[in-house]
Amino acid sequence: MKYGMNMLLWTSDVTEEYFPILEDLKAWGYDGVELPVFEMNADKFARVGKKLASLGLGCTAVTVCSDAANPISPDAGIRAAGLNHITQAIDMCAAAGATHLVGPLHSALGAFSGAGPTADEWNRARDVLAKAADHAKASNVTLVVEYLNRFECYFLTSAADAARFCREVNHPHLKTMYDTFHANIEEKNLADAMRSAWDQVVHVHISENDRSTPGDGHVDWDTTFKTLKELKYDGWLMVEAFGLALPALAAATKIWRRMYPSEELLAKNALAFMKRRMAE
């Protein structure tokens, strides 16, 4: 098992300024981090990757698609922009040494049509992500589509749908993930949801119902960790927690109040929580 922390707790742009936090995460016992990929600067990501390697930390990465780069848009130019955004993000992963690029790569975050997903949108997403997966394969990166809850997207909103999408694309470099925050909202039975998708799951986000310290809220952690062990999961458990430090992210994630005493305490407690639950 590998234990990681998403750097979005501190920043959406990891630069040298945040290297002391990387050092702290290593000292606290983390195995790696998840890097936000929003600025496409290969030199910067190479520097970050070099720092991570010097610390012995692994990394994955996360990005999102916007309205102007939406893989399911009926506009071919917008879909092309979506493909371009994802391929650029893959290049940043390669520069940093990130093994996975995760996130709602299938559609624009926070964009709604007023209806459910259509067959045309499904086919558009399949086409864009199959092409992106070819680029990912050449860079030895795995794309990991993340389903979101119904308040953040409408295209993929359950483990079963995300797994079905990946099975249909049928590409070794396109898989899905399980996120405890979204599952807490959308799934009727967590264990069944996990089992239904597990042949396609390669990544896990550990996130509390209020996006703060895992273990301090009401996510069904008993079922979550019992099923992780039943399914013999041995990939990344990546903590995803958000705060108020990033106004744009706070607006997107609807975080309006501080949910924890400090980022350091959250990170330390989250790691201890995950290790304790996996050992039980």
Side-chain angles (χ1 to χ4, degrees):
M1 190 66 65
K2 295 177 289 187
Y3 300 95
M5 170 60 73
N6 192 313
M7 290 298 292
L8 283 170
L9 183 62
W10 292 274
T11 182
S12 60
D13 186 20
V14 179
T15 60
E16 286 88 344
E17 175 187 355
Y18 295 94
F19 283 5
I21 293 174
L22 299 179
E23 294 166 0
D24 286 340
L25 289 168
K26 176 65 176 181
W28 297 336
Y30 278 93
D31 300 307
V33 299
E34 197 149 271
L35 300 172
V37 179
F38 301 117
E39 300 296 327
M40 304 302 175
N41 183 327
D43 289 340
K44 178 196 73 176
F45 280 103
R47 290 192 295 272
V48 173
K50 184 176 180 180
K51 178 63 175 180
L52 291 170
S54 74
L55 293 171
L57 290 172
C59 71
T60 62
V62 60
T63 196
V64 299
C65 293
S66 68
D67 279 337
N70 188 350
I72 63 173
S73 171
D75 186 307
I78 293 175
R79 294 199 303 278
L83 177 60
N84 183 60
H85 171 77
I86 297 169
T87 56
Q88 284 190 75
I90 292 166
D91 292 342
M92 298 309 105
C93 289
T99 56
H100 299 67
L101 177 64
V102 315
L105 308 173
H106 45 78
S107 59
L109 177 66
F112 295 91
S113 66
T118 67
D120 285 343
E121 289 172 331
W122 188 271
N123 290 333
R124 292 173 198 144
R126 283 178 51 180
D127 178 64
V128 169
L129 286 172
K131 293 173 181 174
D134 284 340
H135 189 78
K137 180 179 179 180
S139 300
N140 199 28
V141 172
T142 298
L143 297 183
V144 186
V145 294
E146 177 179 8
Y147 78 87
L148 304 183
N149 67 79
R150 76 192 75 176
F151 306 107
E152 295 181 41
C153 87
Y154 70 94
F155 185 69
L156 293 181
T157 57
S158 72
D161 281 350
R164 179 168 67 91
F165 179 81
C166 291
R167 291 184 196 113
E168 289 191 15
V169 176
N170 192 27
H171 196 294
H173 284 258
L174 182 77
K175 297 296 179 182
T176 191
M177 60 178 291
Y178 183 78
D179 183 303
T180 61
F181 174 82
H182 300 300
N184 180 66
I185 296 172
E186 294 297 338
E187 306 294 356
K188 293 183 182 297
N189 182 298
L190 298 185
D192 286 349
M194 294 167 78
R195 294 181 190 118
S196 76
W198 221 249
D199 64 302
Q200 298 296 316
V201 170
V202 297
H203 196 65
V204 172
H205 276 169
I206 297 295
S207 190
E208 192 50 89
N209 68 282
D210 64 354
R211 291 296 203 182
S212 68
T213 312
D216 284 358
H218 69 233
V219 166
D220 183 355
W221 295 113
D222 288 342
T223 298
T224 298
F225 282 97
K226 178 182 178 182
T227 310
L228 284 171
K229 286 182 276 191
E230 171 198 315
L231 295 168
K232 296 180 171 57
Y233 179 71
D234 194 31
W236 284 103
L237 292 183
M238 191 67 66
V239 177
E240 190 178 57
F242 302 130
L244 296 170
L246 309 167
L249 183 64
T253 55
K254 308 299 186 288
I255 302 293
W256 309 123
R257 63 186 188 277
R258 191 170 179 83
M259 303 289 193
Y260 50 85
S262 71
E263 288 79 7
E264 177 178 344
L265 191 62
L266 186 156
K268 288 180 175 178
N269 287 354
L271 181 60
F273 171 74
M274 292 187 294
K275 288 186 172 181
R276 182 175 70 253
R277 295 307 301 259
M278 286 305 297
E280 288 175 351

